Amino acid sequence: MAVRKPAAGKTASGKSAVTIPQLAWNQVRPAPVVLVSGTESFLADRAIRRLRDFLKGEDPSIEVVDVDADSYAAGELLTVASPSLFMEPRFIRVNSVEKCTDSFITETLAYLEDPAENTYLVLRHNGGVRGKKLLDALRGGLGGGVEIVCAELKKDAEKYDFAVAEFKTAGRRITPGALRALVAAFSDDLAELASACQQLMDDSSSEITETTVERYYGGRVESNAFKVADAALAGRRGEALITLRHALASGADPVPIVAAFAMKMRTMAKVSGSHGGSGQLASQLGMAPWQLDRARRDLAGWSEDGLARAIEALAEADAGVKGASRDPIFAVERLIGVIASRGRA
């Protein structure tokens, strides 16, 4: 019996064929349309930011426009993609394509038949079946685009390779043992792993060793500084104190614990009082959208006065753990009390 050939654009299993390049987040490059797919929001945000920065370096006049696909209004894409008076290039970031409206699908498909010149359309799809017709068309070559695949890094080996790349890109040396310890400490959060890598590079001028990692993040596999900070910011003072005790018993130092609070409080202070969509506002504040969204969640229940008092308490705790106090642990405990009470303690 003759084997029936699949229809054009389909594989033998009936799935749509992919004809466009599928690249890793760090291989992102300009194209008329860039599909950023996958559930790893941290990598997706990095890829989009890297592309934006590259294009801005090529032409500082490029206009950055944000569109929310889940609240898309008919004609919006045509409007933002229309040539301006001075023909500046456009960088159009579209969020929440996995929740897009029917109008968005219809009009984007029409747009891809004849993409605007000097315009870069970036579509962020976080997974799911919504918008499948559009995704199939993109992957089949409509619009002449590329796909940036940002799948979740589930295996420790994948996270290890990610950390290796962080230090290699910065031209910094770290021992294999230090890398393993770092990945073990932050295996549940890629964003915090990246932040930890950056903090080590900022604070250490020489080769980073297991001793360096142990000093900053000792005992963090089960109880780490960010867990203490997260519990306090959520108002769970008792849990934060218990987690702190576990961390200290495992060898953690008070200095990086306060540094974790400082990292979160700085971001909260930048975001406090700001308004606008995550993509555009994050760009203005110099942070990733996921950082802005997390800071907004952390700010729930805070007043401006409370935030100011917490920042003052943070400065006192930072000095206390660096020698100004005879009891650095008490300095951290007092900080936890202020943070957990939203600056009212």
Side-chain angles (χ1 to χ4, degrees):
M1 179 183 293
V3 177
R4 184 180 178 182
K5 293 183 179 180
K10 299 282 186 177
T11 65
S13 64
K15 294 181 179 180
S16 297
V18 177
T19 64
I20 63 174
Q22 290 187 303
L23 310 172
W25 72 271
N26 55 0
Q27 297 174 315
V28 64
R29 59 178 173 80
V33 57
V34 179
L35 171 62
V36 182
S37 64
T39 57
E40 186 50 76
S41 295
F42 174 74
L43 295 181
D45 291 341
R46 265 202 175 184
I48 294 171
R49 189 166 63 252
R50 176 178 286 201
L51 179 59
R52 180 205 63 193
D53 292 347
F54 173 81
L55 292 172
K56 273 188 170 291
E58 292 286 303
D59 189 342
S61 71
I62 191 168
E63 182 179 356
V64 179
V65 183
D66 287 295
V67 174
D68 292 319
D70 56 348
S71 58
Y72 181 84
E76 191 173 354
L77 179 58
L78 180 62
T79 299
V80 299
S82 297
S84 65
L85 179 63
F86 298 103
M87 300 298 290
E88 294 98 340
R90 300 285 178 87
F91 183 75
I92 304 173
R93 293 182 297 206
V94 184
N95 302 306
S96 305
V97 176
E98 72 279 0
K99 304 174 185 176
C100 64
T101 64
D102 291 339
S103 293
F104 177 80
I105 295 174
T106 301
E107 295 187 4
T108 304
L109 285 169
Y111 171 85
L112 294 177
E113 294 285 353
D114 185 22
E117 292 186 13
N118 217 17
T119 296
Y120 307 92
L121 178 64
V122 179
L123 305 176
R124 173 68 182 115
H125 193 286
N126 197 46
V129 297
R130 181 64 178 162
K132 184 177 184 301
K133 182 179 180 181
L134 173 60
L135 299 187
D136 287 346
L138 283 166
R139 289 168 175 155
L142 185 64
V146 299
E147 180 175 5
I148 308 302
V149 181
C150 300
E152 182 181 357
L153 304 186
K154 296 181 178 180
K155 298 178 180 178
D156 284 347
E158 295 172 329
K159 296 169 185 176
Y160 182 90
D161 291 341
F162 170 82
V164 168
E166 292 288 282
F167 289 96
K168 184 176 181 180
T169 300
R172 296 296 304 277
R173 295 181 60 187
I174 180 170
T175 65
L179 274 169
R180 287 192 295 271
L182 194 59
V183 171
F186 292 95
S187 61
D188 59 344
D189 193 317
L190 190 64
E192 290 186 354
L193 173 59
S195 295
C197 291
Q198 188 60 53
Q199 183 176 6
L200 287 172
M201 288 187 280
D202 289 344
D203 292 356
S204 304
S205 58
S206 56
E207 181 181 52
I208 297 165
T209 66
E210 290 177 74
T211 302
T212 313
V213 175
E214 178 66 25
R215 176 175 177 270
Y216 274 82
Y217 305 118
R220 295 181 61 126
V221 174
E222 295 299 331
S223 301
N224 61 52
F226 284 103
K227 287 182 179 178
V228 177
D230 287 340
L233 285 166
R236 301 191 298 269
R237 181 174 181 271
E239 179 183 330
L241 290 172
I242 291 172
T243 307
L244 171 65
R245 289 296 178 182
H246 287 169
L248 294 172
S250 301
D253 189 274
V255 173
I257 293 175
V258 173
F261 275 98
M263 188 181 302
K264 288 182 173 289
M265 295 300 298
R266 279 196 299 268
T267 305
M268 289 167 61
K270 290 174 68 174
V271 173
S272 177
S274 59
H275 302 282
S278 297
Q280 187 170 10
L281 186 57
S283 177
Q284 293 173 358
L285 296 176
M287 62 180 67
W290 67 265
Q291 290 176 308
L292 186 141
D293 291 339
R294 178 173 292 183
R296 281 177 166 169
R297 291 195 299 270
D298 289 340
L299 280 166
W302 284 83
S303 66
E304 290 188 7
D305 288 343
L307 191 60
R309 282 192 290 270
I311 292 174
E312 289 177 357
L314 177 64
E316 292 177 5
D318 185 64
V321 298
K322 293 179 179 177
S325 171
R326 287 180 293 181
D327 190 346
I329 294 175
F330 176 70
V332 180
E333 291 174 339
R334 185 169 53 187
L335 175 63
I336 288 173
V338 175
I339 299 295
S341 67
R342 307 292 197 274
R344 293 188 287 270

